[in-house]
Short mmCIF file of all heavy atoms in Angstrom, two decimals:
data_model
loop_
_atom_site.label_atom_id
_atom_site.label_comp_id
_atom_site.label_asym_id
_atom_site.label_seq_id
_atom_site.Cartn_x
_atom_site.Cartn_y
_atom_site.Cartn_z
N ALA A 881 0.12 -2.42 -3.57
CA ALA A 881 -0.90 -3.12 -4.39
C ALA A 881 -1.37 -2.34 -5.50
O ALA A 881 -1.88 -1.15 -5.32
CB ALA A 881 -2.08 -3.59 -3.49
N MET A 882 -1.28 -2.77 -6.69
CA MET A 882 -1.91 -2.10 -7.84
C MET A 882 -2.49 -3.13 -8.76
O MET A 882 -2.19 -4.26 -8.67
CB MET A 882 -0.86 -1.32 -8.62
CG MET A 882 -0.57 0.01 -7.99
SD MET A 882 0.27 1.19 -9.05
CE MET A 882 1.96 0.40 -9.04
N THR A 883 -3.29 -2.70 -9.58
CA THR A 883 -4.27 -3.49 -10.21
C THR A 883 -3.74 -4.36 -11.38
O THR A 883 -2.86 -3.99 -12.06
CB THR A 883 -5.51 -2.68 -10.74
OG1 THR A 883 -6.60 -3.54 -10.97
CG2 THR A 883 -5.07 -1.86 -11.80
N GLY A 910 -2.38 -6.35 -7.04
CA GLY A 910 -3.64 -5.62 -6.97
C GLY A 910 -4.85 -6.70 -6.74
O GLY A 910 -4.51 -7.94 -6.77
N SER A 911 -5.94 -6.23 -6.50
CA SER A 911 -7.03 -7.08 -6.21
C SER A 911 -7.20 -8.31 -7.17
O SER A 911 -7.10 -8.23 -8.37
CB SER A 911 -8.45 -6.33 -6.20
OG SER A 911 -9.49 -7.35 -6.05
N ASN A 936 -4.12 -10.15 -2.67
CA ASN A 936 -5.01 -8.96 -2.38
C ASN A 936 -6.42 -9.30 -2.64
O ASN A 936 -6.72 -9.74 -3.76
CB ASN A 936 -4.46 -7.83 -3.19
CG ASN A 936 -5.19 -6.48 -2.73
OD1 ASN A 936 -6.37 -6.30 -2.84
ND2 ASN A 936 -4.59 -5.61 -2.17
N HIS A 965 -8.03 -5.50 1.73
CA HIS A 965 -8.08 -4.08 1.76
C HIS A 965 -9.56 -3.52 2.30
O HIS A 965 -10.58 -4.18 1.96
CB HIS A 965 -7.71 -3.43 0.40
CG HIS A 965 -8.57 -3.80 -0.74
ND1 HIS A 965 -8.38 -4.67 -1.78
CD2 HIS A 965 -9.85 -3.29 -1.19
CE1 HIS A 965 -9.32 -4.78 -2.66
NE2 HIS A 965 -10.24 -3.91 -2.31
N LYS A 1002 -5.16 -3.33 5.16
CA LYS A 1002 -4.73 -2.16 4.65
C LYS A 1002 -5.97 -1.22 4.21
O LYS A 1002 -7.04 -1.86 3.95
CB LYS A 1002 -3.80 -2.16 3.39
CG LYS A 1002 -4.48 -2.53 2.08
CD LYS A 1002 -3.47 -2.64 0.95
CE LYS A 1002 -3.02 -1.34 0.30
NZ LYS A 1002 -3.90 -0.85 -0.65
N VAL A 1004 -6.81 2.19 1.44
CA VAL A 1004 -6.37 2.51 0.07
C VAL A 1004 -5.97 3.92 -0.05
O VAL A 1004 -5.91 4.50 -1.21
CB VAL A 1004 -7.32 2.04 -1.06
CG1 VAL A 1004 -7.54 0.58 -1.00
CG2 VAL A 1004 -8.71 2.83 -0.90
N ALA A 1027 -1.80 3.10 4.78
CA ALA A 1027 -2.49 3.64 3.60
C ALA A 1027 -3.40 4.95 3.87
O ALA A 1027 -4.49 4.95 3.53
CB ALA A 1027 -3.26 2.69 2.75
N GLY A 1031 -1.50 10.78 -0.57
CA GLY A 1031 -1.10 10.31 -1.86
C GLY A 1031 -2.21 10.09 -2.73
O GLY A 1031 -3.10 10.96 -2.92
N THR A 1032 -2.42 8.94 -3.39
CA THR A 1032 -3.50 8.68 -4.36
C THR A 1032 -4.77 8.90 -3.67
O THR A 1032 -5.00 8.22 -2.69
CB THR A 1032 -3.31 7.18 -4.96
OG1 THR A 1032 -2.04 7.12 -5.54
CG2 THR A 1032 -4.37 7.11 -6.03
N TRP A 1034 -8.56 8.17 -3.88
CA TRP A 1034 -9.55 7.29 -4.50
C TRP A 1034 -10.91 7.89 -4.56
O TRP A 1034 -11.68 7.61 -5.41
CB TRP A 1034 -9.54 5.93 -3.89
CG TRP A 1034 -8.15 5.15 -4.34
CD1 TRP A 1034 -7.15 5.08 -3.76
CD2 TRP A 1034 -8.10 4.59 -5.70
NE1 TRP A 1034 -6.19 4.41 -4.62
CE2 TRP A 1034 -6.76 4.16 -5.79
CE3 TRP A 1034 -8.94 4.46 -6.79
CZ2 TRP A 1034 -6.23 3.52 -6.88
CZ3 TRP A 1034 -8.50 3.83 -7.92
CH2 TRP A 1034 -7.16 3.50 -8.02
N GLY A 1082 0.93 8.18 0.06
CA GLY A 1082 1.65 9.36 -0.13
C GLY A 1082 3.18 9.35 0.13
O GLY A 1082 3.91 10.28 0.17
N ARG A 1084 6.56 9.20 -1.26
CA ARG A 1084 6.97 9.53 -2.69
C ARG A 1084 8.49 9.59 -2.95
O ARG A 1084 8.83 9.56 -4.10
CB ARG A 1084 6.43 11.01 -3.02
CG ARG A 1084 4.95 10.94 -3.11
CD ARG A 1084 4.43 10.15 -4.25
NE ARG A 1084 2.95 10.04 -4.34
CZ ARG A 1084 2.24 8.93 -3.97
NH1 ARG A 1084 2.97 7.88 -3.37
NH2 ARG A 1084 1.10 8.83 -4.14
N ALA A 1103 2.74 2.83 -4.09
CA ALA A 1103 1.85 2.33 -5.25
C ALA A 1103 2.10 3.24 -6.50
O ALA A 1103 2.86 2.91 -7.31
CB ALA A 1103 0.46 2.14 -4.84
N GLN A 1104 1.39 4.36 -6.37
CA GLN A 1104 1.39 5.21 -7.63
C GLN A 1104 2.78 5.60 -8.17
O GLN A 1104 2.90 5.62 -9.38
CB GLN A 1104 0.54 6.56 -7.20
CG GLN A 1104 0.16 7.24 -8.37
CD GLN A 1104 1.18 8.48 -8.77
OE1 GLN A 1104 2.20 8.48 -8.23
NE2 GLN A 1104 0.80 9.16 -9.90
C1 FMN B 1695 -3.57 2.12 -10.24
C2 FMN B 1695 -3.74 1.66 -8.75
C3 FMN B 1695 -4.51 0.50 -8.52
C4 FMN B 1695 -4.77 0.18 -7.13
N1 FMN B 1695 -5.33 -1.05 -6.99
C5 FMN B 1695 -5.50 -1.49 -5.68
C6 FMN B 1695 -5.97 -2.72 -5.41
O1 FMN B 1695 -6.41 -3.52 -6.29
N2 FMN B 1695 -5.96 -3.18 -4.13
C7 FMN B 1695 -5.56 -2.40 -3.10
O2 FMN B 1695 -5.60 -2.88 -1.94
N3 FMN B 1695 -5.01 -1.22 -3.30
C8 FMN B 1695 -4.92 -0.70 -4.55
N4 FMN B 1695 -4.38 0.59 -4.83
C9 FMN B 1695 -4.15 1.38 -3.63
C10 FMN B 1695 -2.64 1.30 -3.25
O3 FMN B 1695 -2.19 0.13 -2.87
C11 FMN B 1695 -2.39 2.30 -2.14
O4 FMN B 1695 -2.96 1.91 -0.84
C12 FMN B 1695 -2.94 3.81 -2.34
O5 FMN B 1695 -2.82 4.17 -3.78
C13 FMN B 1695 -2.09 4.74 -1.58
O6 FMN B 1695 -0.70 4.69 -1.92
P1 FMN B 1695 -0.03 5.63 -2.93
O7 FMN B 1695 -0.25 7.13 -2.38
O8 FMN B 1695 1.55 5.29 -2.86
O9 FMN B 1695 -0.62 5.37 -4.23
C14 FMN B 1695 -4.23 0.86 -6.08
C15 FMN B 1695 -3.42 2.10 -6.43
C16 FMN B 1695 -3.23 2.44 -7.69
C17 FMN B 1695 -2.43 3.77 -7.91
#
Side-chain angles (χ1 to χ4, degrees):
M882 282 193 284
T883 196
S911 174
N936 186 294
H965 67 258
K1002 81 185 274 282
V1004 299
T1032 308
W1034 284 96
R1084 291 294 173 262
Q1104 197 268 1

